[in-house]
Amino acid sequence: MALNRKKAAWLLLLSMTALCHAPAAHAAVSLFAPAPGASGFEQWWRGITFAGHIDGGITANPARPANGINFGNFIGDHANQAQLNQVDFSLIRPLDPDARGYSFGFTLEANYGSDSRYYHLLGISDRAFNARYQIIPAQAHVDAHLPWFTKLGVEMHAGILQAPMGPEAFDPGARPFYTFSYTGEYSVPFEHVGMMATIHITPMIDVLTGIDTGNQTTFGRSDNNAEPAGYAGINLNNLAHGKLTITELSRFGPEDSRYILGSQQANGAMRFWNDLVAACHVTDKLTLTGEFNYLHDNGLRADAESVVTYLSWNFARNLTFNYRGEIYRDNTGQLVTSFLSDEAYMRGVAGTPAPAESAPPTTYGAMTLGITWRKPLTEKVGYFAIRPEIRFDRSLNGTTPFNDGRNTGMFTFGGDMMIGF
């Protein structure tokens, strides 16, 4: 395991001392007992909580591809091999959800495991380790609720931020399946250094905006080009008597590497990401979600469009059935790529040579079915969950991208186990 001391020092500094954003969707333990009558600052620091989770899983492939890779998968990329996906620890001071004046908080999140290979930031953690299990500062940002612009104010987050686009989160407890959709891997960004803001116009309408250095890049030579990127969007809350939420989020800015296009073209070639998500809570036990995504990259002359549908049905105590169906069109074959070494993905982000396999222009169809059994560890804190799933992937236009380019389809099964605290 090779460790670059300078990068490791940066990683340790950011993981231990940076301040951060919204908490992950898992259990949290208050570090300090409540103190009635304490001063404002004492009450603030007594609101700091600690949370974490451990997640491990496997994606089995009966076809046993010779290169050992399940094509089109990041999280479950190694066929028939169990993986420690995440060991995650968070230190959080959440914002007051009912604040009308000023409120300040932070989130610090460090993550170790095989998933971290795909969520690095260039120049911070991408060269700290070269093994399958790596470490990242998953979040590190200061947060503030500010009584500005509108009566409801604005929430601002600045630092290392997880990308807000799409319904599938890095935290395994906040998404329905162990594996990701094609859209969640290839058509939404993962991680940023920058600032994001939510402006609460009315209880129903939020305006979303932000600026950052780019997807999984930082500053100077650790940015694959010299230009920033940003977000703009809108969130519609509590529609249909509180059952429906709609989020439209667009992202724009250069994302391609100077090493591929040259500095002038990389700085001017725009990438446009557009994602629309609608979630309807039909009943307390049944939720339907739909996602439409369109991506266009001027530099690569590539684009992709996709539709993803989800169903979540809590049909019994502690048991939830999940369905996901997707059609994803990669119009040039440049987006859907599997990376064949532990450092290859981030080399691809940087624009340097990386071992990978891709496919010709393909329309992918995928269906995933799963059951989640989730049980609290105690009345207030922690959980244990098991999520078996089966998945069917297929090329809908006759190409053979799967199992070392041998098959038009791929069948996988497996899942993961989680402990949250």
Side-chain angles (χ1 to χ4, degrees), residues 133-319:
Y133 300 122
Q134 301 183 16
I135 189 168
I136 59 169
Q139 296 188 77
H141 47 91
V142 292
D143 308 319
H145 178 275
L146 307 171
W148 299 351
F149 308 133
T150 72
K151 290 183 179 180
L152 299 178
V154 56
E155 292 178 9
M156 302 185 71
H157 315 282
I160 296 176
L161 305 164
Q162 291 181 3
M165 186 176 284
E168 297 189 348
F170 175 64
D171 179 356
R175 63 177 192 264
F177 295 101
Y178 175 52
T179 59
F180 277 75
S181 65
Y182 289 94
T183 304
E185 293 178 325
Y186 300 107
S187 287
V188 300
F190 285 174
E191 196 94 351
H192 302 304
V193 173
M195 181 277 293
M196 295 180 188
T198 300
I199 304 171
H200 301 293
I201 305 299
T202 71
M204 183 177 291
I205 302 172
D206 296 329
V207 171
L208 313 173
T209 186
I211 188 169
D212 54 72
T213 59
N215 181 39
Q216 297 181 262
T217 67
T218 54
F219 298 96
R221 298 190 63 83
S222 296
D223 191 351
N224 57 8
N225 57 63
E227 297 295 331
Y231 287 94
I234 189 168
N235 196 62
L236 303 177
N237 309 292
N238 301 315
L239 303 176
H241 304 288
K243 293 184 177 182
L244 177 64
T245 299
I246 299 175
T247 301
E248 192 287 323
L249 196 57
S250 294
R251 176 173 173 79
F252 38 85
E255 298 284 1
D256 298 319
S257 172
R258 66 175 73 90
Y259 299 116
I260 296 175
L261 301 182
S263 295
Q264 183 174 358
Q265 188 176 356
N267 292 338
M270 298 287 285
R271 179 179 296 182
F272 301 93
W273 329 53
N274 302 279
D275 194 78
L276 177 67
V277 176
C280 181
H281 299 281
V282 180
T283 69
D284 291 342
K285 297 182 180 296
L286 179 64
T287 300
L288 302 177
T289 303
E291 178 183 19
F292 172 76
N293 185 286
Y294 174 71
L295 180 151
H296 177 76
D297 189 295
N298 285 333
L300 300 178
R301 298 183 179 178
D303 55 6
E305 53 269 347
S306 62
V307 175
V308 195
T309 57
Y310 302 83
L311 180 148
S312 179
W313 175 34
N314 182 207
F315 65 92
R317 184 179 181 183
N318 302 325
L319 287 168

Side-chain angles (χ1 to χ4, degrees), residues 65 67 69-72 182 330 336-338 357-365 393-410:
N67 62 8
I69 298 297
N70 292 318
F71 181 78
Y182 289 94
D330 181 357
V336 178
T337 302
S338 282
E357 66 171 343
S358 56
T362 298
T363 301
Y364 298 89
D393 294 74
R394 188 171 182 83
S395 166
L396 302 181
N397 64 325
T399 61
T400 57
F402 302 107
N403 303 323
D404 291 326
R406 293 183 286 117
N407 302 123
T408 58
M410 180 175 67

Side-chain angles (χ1 to χ4, degrees), residues 298-382:
N298 285 333
L300 300 178
R301 298 183 179 178
D303 55 6
E305 53 269 347
S306 62
V307 175
V308 195
T309 57
Y310 302 83
L311 180 148
S312 179
W313 175 34
N314 182 207
F315 65 92
R317 184 179 181 183
N318 302 325
L319 287 168
T320 302
F321 169 78
N322 290 301
Y323 154 89
R324 178 179 64 204
E326 179 178 26
I327 297 177
Y328 185 96
R329 173 64 183 176
D330 181 357
N331 285 319
T332 63
Q334 298 182 76
L335 296 176
V336 178
T337 302
S338 282
F339 295 90
L340 304 181
S341 74
D342 294 320
E343 297 176 288
Y345 174 80
M346 289 308 298
R347 288 179 179 176
V349 173
T352 56
E357 66 171 343
S358 56
T362 298
T363 301
Y364 298 89
M367 182 175 69
T368 311
L369 304 174
I371 297 287
T372 299
W373 180 77
R374 177 167 169 150
K375 185 174 179 60
L377 293 178
T378 70
E379 291 185 4
K380 295 183 178 181
V381 177

